[in-house]
Amino acid sequence: MRGGALEVLLVRAEGLKHAHFSGSSGHYVIIQCGNRSVKSKISSEIDERVWWNEKFKFVLPQLEFKEMPKLTVRLMKRVKFLKDCSIGETIVYLGEILAEGCEKGFIEIKPAAYNIVLENGTYEGEMKLGIRYIPNVELKEQTYNSTRNIHQEEKQSICRVMLSIALKRIPWSKFFFFRKYNAPEESRKKK
C-alpha cells in the first residue's frame, strides 16, 4: 500500500509575553494531523523563547492526506498543581503544499515563522515550523502506527506528584554536608 510522509520540524516559539504563570514548569506542543495527535517534549523558556528542535513524522495513506485540509499545532503551558492550559494555536493549511509535493515528487518548506492565535482571536508571538512532504512512500504496518498518541502516555499517580514536590523543598545540603560546629578550645576558656 502506498501513501505519503509528512514531516514536521518544530523549532521554537517566541514572543510569549502573556504566558508567564507562577508555578509553571514548561511548554509543550500538541500537533494534530488528520485523526492523529502527537505531543512534543516539555521545554522551558529561555529569554522569551522556547526551544524544541524536534521532528515528527506522519505516514498516512494517500486518501487520508487528500482529505486532510490543515495541520493544527497547539501550544500548551504545563502548570504545577493545575490542569495544563492552552496558550494558542497555529494552523498550517496543507492543500497547496500537498498538491505541489505530489506534482514535483517532493516538497520541503524551510522553517518559517507562523503567528500564534490566542484563545481570544488576537495574535501574540510566533512559532517556527518546517514542513517536508514526500508522496508515494511504501507503507509498512509499523511505520503506519509509528506516531505516539498523546492518549497513550503513562499517567502519574498522586503519590509520585506529591513526592516530587516534597523532594524539591528539602534542604539537601544539610543532609550531605552536616557537621557539628565546635568552637575552638581557646574561645570556650575565655568565656
Side-chain angles (χ1 to χ4, degrees):
M1 180 180 209
R2 301 204 64 81
L6 181 71
E7 291 180 1
V8 179
L9 176 64
L10 176 63
V11 180
R12 72 169 189 253
E14 61 182 324
L16 306 171
K17 295 175 185 152
H18 84 289
H20 301 288
F21 298 115
S22 61
S24 63
S25 62
H27 297 83
Y28 65 94
V29 168
I30 297 174
I31 300 175
Q32 185 174 359
C33 179
N35 60 358
R36 288 181 172 66
S37 295
V38 292
K39 180 179 170 183
S40 72
K41 64 183 178 184
I42 296 173
S43 181
S44 35
E45 191 169 349
I46 302 171
D47 298 329
E48 293 188 13
R49 289 184 178 170
V50 183
W51 293 88
W52 290 282
N53 287 331
E54 198 171 353
K55 189 184 287 188
F56 300 96
K57 187 173 185 177
F58 298 94
V59 180
L60 301 170
Q62 205 69 29
L63 291 174
E64 285 189 43
F65 273 120
K66 289 180 182 178
E67 295 171 1
M68 184 176 43
K70 63 185 177 182
L71 178 75
T72 305
V73 183
R74 181 174 296 275
L75 181 61
M76 303 292 287
K77 178 78 169 179
R78 178 164 307 262
V79 182
K80 292 180 186 175
F81 309 116
L82 299 173
K83 186 178 178 184
D84 297 352
C85 61
S86 172
I87 295 174
E89 68 181 13
T90 296
I91 297 175
V92 180
Y93 292 96
L94 298 173
E96 296 296 319
I97 296 170
L98 298 178
E100 190 172 338
C102 288
E103 183 181 309
K104 292 183 177 180
F106 172 83
I107 187 167
E108 181 173 0
I109 299 173
K110 294 187 180 187
Y114 294 89
N115 288 330
I116 298 173
V117 181
L118 304 178
E119 299 292 324
N120 61 7
T122 60
Y123 299 100
E124 184 174 311
E126 56 187 30
M127 192 175 303
K128 199 163 190 182
L129 300 170
I131 298 173
R132 178 188 293 169
Y133 177 65
I134 306 166
N136 297 323
V137 174
E138 186 65 34
L139 291 181
K140 297 177 184 173
E141 189 61 34
Q142 71 183 70
T143 59
Y144 183 70
N145 295 321
S146 66
T147 57
R148 61 177 191 244
N149 197 329
I150 60 171
H151 303 295
Q152 295 172 349
E153 264 189 25
E154 182 181 317
K155 302 280 184 185
Q156 285 190 349
S157 69
I158 189 73
C159 295
R160 176 176 246 165
V161 172
M162 296 303 287
L163 186 61
S164 69
I165 294 166
L167 290 177
K168 289 178 184 174
R169 302 204 187 285
I170 294 175
W172 289 102
S173 61
K174 289 183 180 179
F175 286 115
F176 294 118
F177 302 107
F178 69 93
R179 64 178 177 208
K180 200 171 191 179
Y181 179 76
N182 293 329
E185 292 289 328
E186 296 171 4
S187 64
R188 281 193 224 161
K189 291 179 184 178
K190 289 181 183 177
K191 292 182 183 178

